[in-house]
C-alpha cells in the first residue's frame, strides 16, 4: 500500500469551492491509479465564514493546518467584504504563519492554447517564477500619520532580510538545477532605483551563485523583464524576485500562458506545510454557474502531488490536463470552454 496524505482543503470564496471540488476529483482518481490514499479535511475559512462569525481566521488555524501534509486552496475574496480584510487576514496571514517563503509560479504554455503573443508557441513559453513570499512590501511595515487631513503621510516599507532573500535565491538555483532546462537563474530587481533592497538581493544572488557553478546567472530590471516576457519569453528559465515584483510579473505570466483559467502556483515551505492554489481570484460573478475553468486548480493539485513526491501521479495529471486542453476545450475562458466546470474535471480524471 502506498502512502497516505492528509490534505486540508480550503475551497474559500466565490468559485473557489467549485474548482477545488474538481481538483479533489482528479486527486482521488490519481490516488486510485497510483496507489496512494488521501485523507481530506475541509476548512471553511473565507468570506462567508467571516460574515457569519466576524472572525477572519480562528486563532489555531495555522496550527490546525500544520497537522496536514499540504493545503489545497481555492480562492479568497468576497464582494461584500472590504478589499484587504480577507486577503491579508487569511491568505497572507497563512503564507506568513506557515513560513511559506516561496511562491512558485510556472509559466508554461501548453500545446494548442492561445497566447496573446504573436509567433510564440510552447517551445518559447516555459519558465518559472520564484517569488519571495513572506517579506518585501507585503510584510506590513510602515504606517500612516494625520490620516484624512491634507497633511497625510503614508509610508509602506519593503522589508528584505539577508536570511529571507538568501533562502529564496537558493531555492531558485536548486530549482534551476532540478528543472535541468536552460540552467539559468535570472534575478529580477530594480538595482538602479531601489538601491538598498536590491543591493542586498544582488550581493546575495552572486554569492549564492558561486555555489552553483553549473547554473548560469542573468540580471534584469523588473520593467525590462515585463518587456522581455512579451517580446522574448524564450530567454527565461527560472526568474527569482521579491514579493511585489513577483506578484506583478506572474499576472503577466499567467496571461501569456493562456490566462487565469490555467495558471497555478504553490506557496512553499520546503521544510513545512505548503499550500497550492490557482492564482486567479474568486471570480464571484461566475459562482455557482458551472462555467469556471477548474484547470488552474487541477494544476495546483498536480503541483501539490509533485511536491509531496508523487511524481508519477503529477506527471499523469499534467498529461491529462494537456490532452483535455488540446483536444477537448474550445477556450480556457469561463463560459467558453464548450463544457461545464464539472465535465472538465471529469475529463481530466478519466484520462489520467
Ligand atoms: C496573489 C494575489 C495575492 C497577492 C492577493 C490576493 C493578496 O494577488 O496570490 O498573487 O498579492 O499575493
Ligand atoms: Mn497576484
Amino acid at each position: 500500500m502506498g502512502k497516505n496524505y492528509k490534505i486540508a482543503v480550503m475551497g474559500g470564496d466565490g468559485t473557489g469551492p467549485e474548482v477545488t471540488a474538481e481538483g479533489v476529483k482528479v486527486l482521488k482518481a490519481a490516488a486510485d491509479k497510483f496507489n496512494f490514499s488521501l485523507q481530506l479535511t475541509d476548512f471553511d475559512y473565507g468570506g462567508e465564514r467571516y460574515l457569519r462569525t466576524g472572525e477572519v481566521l480562528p486563532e489555531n488555524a495555522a496550527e490546525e493546518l500544520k497537522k496536514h501534509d499540504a493545503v489545497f486552496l481555492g480562492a479568497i475574496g468576497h464582494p461584500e467584504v472590504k478589499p484587504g480584510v480577507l486577503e491579508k487576514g487569511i491568505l497572507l496571514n497563512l503564507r506568513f504563519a506557515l513560513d511559506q517563503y516561496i511562491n512558485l509560479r510556472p509559466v508554461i504554455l501548453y500545446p494548442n492554447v492561445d497566447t496573446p503573443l504573436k509567433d510564440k508557441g510552447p517551445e518559447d513559453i516555459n519558465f518559472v517564477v520564484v517569488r519571495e513570499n513572506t517579506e518585501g512590501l507585503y510584510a506590513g511595515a510602515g504606517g500612516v500619520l494625520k490620516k484624512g487631513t491634507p497633511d497625510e503621510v503614508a509610508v509602506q516599507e519593503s522589508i528584505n532580510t539577508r536570511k529571507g532573500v538568501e533562502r529564496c535565491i537558493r531555492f531558485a538555483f536548486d530549482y534551476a538545477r532540478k528543472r535541468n532546462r536552460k540552467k539559468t537563474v535570472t534575478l529580477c530587481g530594480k538595482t538602479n532605483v531601489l538601491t538598498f533592497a536590491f543591493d542586498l538581493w544582488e550581493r546575495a544572488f552572486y554569492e549564492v551563485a558561486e555555489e552553483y557553478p553549473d547554473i548560469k546567472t542573468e540580471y534584469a530590471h523588473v520593467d525590462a523583464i515585463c518587456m522581455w516576457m512579451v517580446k522574448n519569453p524564450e530567454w527565461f528559465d527560472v526568474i527569482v524576485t521579491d514579493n511585489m515584483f513577483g506578484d506583478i510579473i506572474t499576472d503577466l505570466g499567467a496571461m501569456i500562458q493562456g490566462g487565469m483559467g490555467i495558471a497555478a502556483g504553490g506557496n512553499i515551505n520546503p521544510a513545512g506545510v505548503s499550500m497550492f492554489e490557482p492564482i486567479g481570484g474568486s471570480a464571484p460573478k461566475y459562482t455557482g454557474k458551472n462555467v469556471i475553468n477548474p484547470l488552474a486548480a487541477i494544476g495546483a493539485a498536480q503541483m501539490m502531488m509533485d511536491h509531496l513526491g508523487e511524481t508519477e501521479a503529477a506527471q499523469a495529471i499534467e498529461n491529462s490536463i494537456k490532452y483535455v486542453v488540446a483536444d477537448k476545450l474550445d477556450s480556457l475562458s469561463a463560459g467558453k470552454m464548450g463544457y461545464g466546470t464539472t465535465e472538465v474535471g471529469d475529463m481530466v480524471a478519466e484520462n489520467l
Side-chain angles (χ1 to χ4, degrees):
M1 190 56 208
K3 286 194 185 157
N4 176 57
Y5 298 101
K6 286 191 193 151
I7 308 291
V9 181
M10 274 173 65
D13 299 318
T15 52
E18 289 172 66
V19 296
T20 50
E22 299 315 305
V24 164
K25 186 188 280 177
V26 172
L27 284 173
K28 285 182 175 165
D32 284 345
K33 180 150 187 194
F34 294 96
N35 194 39
F36 60 87
S37 58
L38 297 164
Q39 196 175 323
L40 303 162
T41 310
D42 276 309
F43 288 82
D44 67 350
Y45 306 153
E48 292 297 334
R49 183 181 185 283
Y50 170 66
L51 291 171
R52 200 173 65 236
T53 65
E55 183 181 65
V56 183
L57 265 188
E59 220 167 291
N60 63 348
E63 290 314 309
E64 283 303 310
L65 294 174
K66 275 185 196 163
K67 295 178 187 158
H68 298 77
D69 293 304
V71 183
F72 184 38
L73 170 65
I76 297 293
H78 195 290
E80 284 155 47
V81 182
K82 193 171 153 233
V85 173
L86 303 170
E87 292 86 342
K88 284 176 95 169
I90 301 179
L91 187 60
L92 300 185
N93 189 328
L94 290 177
R95 285 176 181 171
F96 294 178
L98 298 171
D99 201 22
Q100 294 164 339
Y101 61 87
I102 299 297
N103 197 325
L104 186 66
R105 298 189 162 180
V107 179
I108 297 175
L109 179 69
Y110 288 149
N112 279 356
V113 172
D114 277 336
T115 171
L117 302 189
K118 189 163 163 279
D119 302 331
K120 297 293 176 190
E123 62 288 355
D124 303 307
I125 302 175
N126 190 329
F127 61 94
V128 301
V129 177
V130 174
R131 165 186 174 189
E132 201 292 321
N133 211 31
T134 53
E135 303 190 339
L137 284 167
Y138 279 68
V144 61
L145 292 173
K146 303 180 188 173
K147 188 166 180 170
T149 75
D151 296 325
E152 180 164 347
V153 181
V155 178
Q156 193 99 40
E157 290 162 320
S158 175
I159 303 298
N160 299 264
T161 68
R162 173 73 199 209
K163 176 182 153 198
V165 166
E166 193 173 317
R167 65 186 183 174
C168 176
I169 289 170
R170 191 161 269 120
F171 183 95
F173 277 91
D174 283 332
Y175 203 80
R177 195 176 261 170
K178 184 171 146 221
R179 229 181 163 245
N180 199 18
R181 285 180 67 91
K182 290 175 190 281
K183 292 193 147 197
T184 304
V185 182
T186 305
L187 173 63
C188 165
K190 191 73 186 172
T191 52
N192 53 348
V193 177
L194 306 180
T195 50
F196 308 131
F198 281 99
D199 176 60
L200 169 55
W201 274 85
E202 197 178 32
R203 276 182 289 115
F205 182 68
Y206 289 112
E207 280 167 36
V208 170
E210 286 187 18
E211 296 167 34
Y212 298 82
D214 52 322
I215 308 294
K216 290 188 279 298
T217 55
E218 309 261 13
Y219 171 82
H221 297 321
V222 62
D223 44 352
I225 290 261
C226 290
M227 183 170 79
W228 286 323
M229 276 174 68
V230 172
K231 196 167 169 284
N232 296 99
E234 67 278 6
W235 287 354
F236 298 118
D237 180 19
V238 174
I239 298 176
V240 64
T241 193
D242 82 349
N243 210 339
M244 186 80 259
F245 291 166
D247 178 48
I248 298 167
I249 68 171
T250 53
D251 266 28
L252 177 55
M255 285 302 121
I256 68 172
Q257 75 180 114
M260 290 302 180
I262 192 90
N267 302 279
I268 295 178
N269 176 344
V273 180
S274 300
M275 179 164 78
F276 297 84
E277 53 172 336
I279 86 169
S282 58
K285 69 176 176 184
Y286 297 122
T287 305
K289 299 199 161 83
N290 196 36
V291 297
I292 194 79
N293 186 345
L295 289 178
I298 297 171
Q302 171 226 316
M303 289 181 74
M304 179 166 75
M305 293 328 295
D306 191 53
H307 177 80
L308 292 172
E310 294 291 336
T311 44
E312 258 187 287
Q315 192 58 61
I317 297 172
E318 181 174 358
N319 292 344
S320 186
I321 293 174
K322 281 185 180 168
Y323 165 73
V324 169
V325 159
D327 281 40
K328 301 284 182 188
L329 303 193
D330 297 339
S331 155
L332 296 182
S333 304
K336 297 182 185 147
M337 298 186 289
Y339 295 91
T341 306
T342 52
E343 290 171 292
V344 175
D346 289 341
M347 288 189 289
V348 178
E350 281 157 18
N351 288 292
L352 279 181

